[in-house]
Amino acid sequence: MSFQELYNKHCKQGHHYTYGTAGFRAHNSVLDTVMFTTGIVAVLRSIYLKSKFVGVMITASHNPPEDNGVKIVEPHGEMLVQNWEPIATKLANSASAGFTQLESALKAITDELHIDTTQLACITVARDSRESGPRLLAALRAGISVFSNVKIVDFELLTTPQLHFLTHTLNSSSSPSTVKESAYYDHFISMWNQLTQLHHVTELPFHLTIDCANGIGADKVKELIAQAGSVLASSLSTVNGKTDTFQLLNESCGADFVKTNQTFPANCSPEPSQLYCSFDGDADRVVFYYMDDKENKFHLLDGDKIATLLAKLLADLLHQCGLSDTLNLGVVQTAYANGSSTKYISDDLKIPVSCTKTGVKHLHHEAVSNYDIGVYFEANGHGTVIFSSKFVETIDIALQETSKTNKNKHESLLSLQLFSQLINQTVGDAISDMLAVVATLSILKLKPEDWDQCYHDLPNRLTKVIVPDRSVFVSTNAERQLVSPEGLQAKIDELVAKYPKSRSFVRASGTEDAVRVYAEADTTENAIELATKVGEQVK
Ligand code: NG1
Ligand code: ZN
């Protein structure tokens, strides 16, 4: 089919698209056009990067089943570089205006970037379990097929982090044609086995129930458990794994539901002191929780608790190797991190902590720029740990120099090395993060209550306000202060001053047409009152 025929078949006019925090996301019915143009963008990006594999993931993560979305993955697994986001937006909105507009926008871009569209493009694609996935994938593939010299690796159903990992693996491999989905399981199971064997972990200190949000993570984590062997198979089980009942996706379950409602998901019968976790719809986020044995209350162990647990283990290991002054470790958070966690990291762990704008691409960037070991998590459970090339070289050299007679140091060095591989460094990954947390708790022999003891969350409230135009809410200082609308920040400051230990901020969501209000304070009543009063100022 010609370019125009493909366009006519898949594109509709009239919708306005924006590349948001997590790519394009909307109701599936308006997404065919943007799938088509995202296919084109991926091809251009691959050619621009000298035929490296560029990934395209079709998912709407924690959003409702009828939504969908698409995001582009860079060759080494990062999110699309920010200066290409306007290109993606431009092509989508040109296509939405008409074929001629799309054609001329494409020409303007290829001319400006000197992209020869006859060169080879290499693309990986995958989708989550949504009903609209196959149709949208067809639109995406049509966009890709506008170009004749393309190699596509279609992984079909994957979690988002699997696609990031496999895209990176393909680009690093000398024989890309041999890279299959199994490379993901082989890698993480091998690291898990080596790390836990080194620490003589023969059983977990709890049973872990995984709520899979009825999403693609269910099939993939089951596959991993089945292949992993007895320690995991005997201590892990899954609920909410109905991937093929589309309307159940994220319904009363999943990481977003648990974090927002601070309660157990559907189909989970909690037992005291056992551990639970929830993935989101595309398994790039995870939060943990448990029920205590005294009051049978729900306790959330969110992204902040994950970050502190991992940062503490890594700091201890660095100390045991005598490398605390050589390799710098830091934690990156957003304004949504609970104030108690920030205080605990800096005052008790004495680890530097920085704050960035919402969206993992910002946290990732900050971690790469500042730290040899950068632990970054959003409070909602989206995050990972990244390790610099200096870290890799330093550990390699130290391992060679440390004779096995210094057994403790050798073990700590090896633990650091294995840990850096057990974490999916390309992007936050519910499965890999879960393995890292479970390994840490098993090595340190911690029960859920022990993990929870490190600090106590300040009571907090996150609400959403629908406004006529969220673009007027412009913030600064890592989104903690508003510069517009004029005068609003002063009113927020006035309200905050009235409550002990309080903090509140307002920002426009990057994924929903709404403004978010966050407040924390000394008591739950005060946090709710503060969020309500700030919310009233926003309307
Ligand atoms: P927005 O809608 O910009 O607040 C939400 C989450 C982010 C991130 C993105 C991407 C909160 C408060 N915000 O962003 O942390 O996960 O979605 O999915 O949780
Ligand atoms: Zn997600």
Side-chain angles (χ1 to χ4, degrees), residues 7 12-14 91-104:
Y7 172 87
K12 286 186 216 138
Q13 292 169 16
L91 277 179
N93 289 321
S94 307
S96 187
F99 179 69
T100 329
Q101 287 87 335
L102 172 61
E103 220 179 11
S104 57

Side-chain angles (χ1 to χ4, degrees), residues 25 59-62 71 160 280-285 382:
R25 209 174 274 185
T59 176
S61 186
H62 60 282
K71 47 191 173 186
T160 295
D280 72 341
D282 62 340
D284 62 355
R285 287 195 206 176
H382 198 183

Side-chain angles (χ1 to χ4, degrees), residues 333-336 354-358 475-481 503 505-507:
Q333 302 185 312
T334 72
Y336 293 106
S354 29
C355 182
T356 69
K357 292 207 283 189
T358 304
S475 40
T476 180
N477 188 16
E479 302 178 328
R480 289 170 290 192
Q481 283 169 310
R503 196 166 68 88
F505 65 93
V506 168
R507 60 175 276 280

Side-chain angles (χ1 to χ4, degrees), residues 40-147:
I40 297 176
V41 177
V43 168
L44 300 183
R45 184 78 189 140
S46 172
I47 297 174
Y48 186 79
L49 297 173
K50 305 205 162 36
S51 311
K52 288 261 173 29
F53 277 97
V54 164
V56 186
M57 181 73 199
I58 300 177
T59 176
S61 186
H62 60 282
N63 291 122
E66 58 283 3
D67 283 7
N68 216 327
V70 63
K71 47 191 173 186
I72 297 181
V73 179
E74 289 281 309
H76 289 292
E78 301 94 341
M79 310 272 184
L80 178 68
V81 282
Q82 253 164 286
N83 60 353
W84 271 62
E85 291 180 7
I87 297 179
T89 307
K90 172 92 194 140
L91 277 179
N93 289 321
S94 307
S96 187
F99 179 69
T100 329
Q101 287 87 335
L102 172 61
E103 220 179 11
S104 57
L106 177 59
K107 180 161 183 338
I109 292 163
T110 50
D111 285 353
E112 191 190 329
L113 298 175
H114 307 289
I115 293 172
D116 173 359
T117 55
T118 63
Q119 294 297 304
L120 174 69
C122 296
I123 311 287
T124 57
V125 295
R127 60 183 176 89
D128 73 13
S129 58
R130 282 161 206 267
E131 190 174 14
S132 60
R135 188 192 90 235
L136 296 174
L137 177 64
L140 173 79
R141 292 193 69 135
I144 295 172
S145 73
V146 166
F147 306 90

Side-chain angles (χ1 to χ4, degrees), residues 271-284:
E271 289 196 23
S273 305
Q274 302 303 327
L275 191 60
Y276 299 80
C277 74
S278 287
F279 294 177
D280 72 341
D282 62 340
D284 62 355

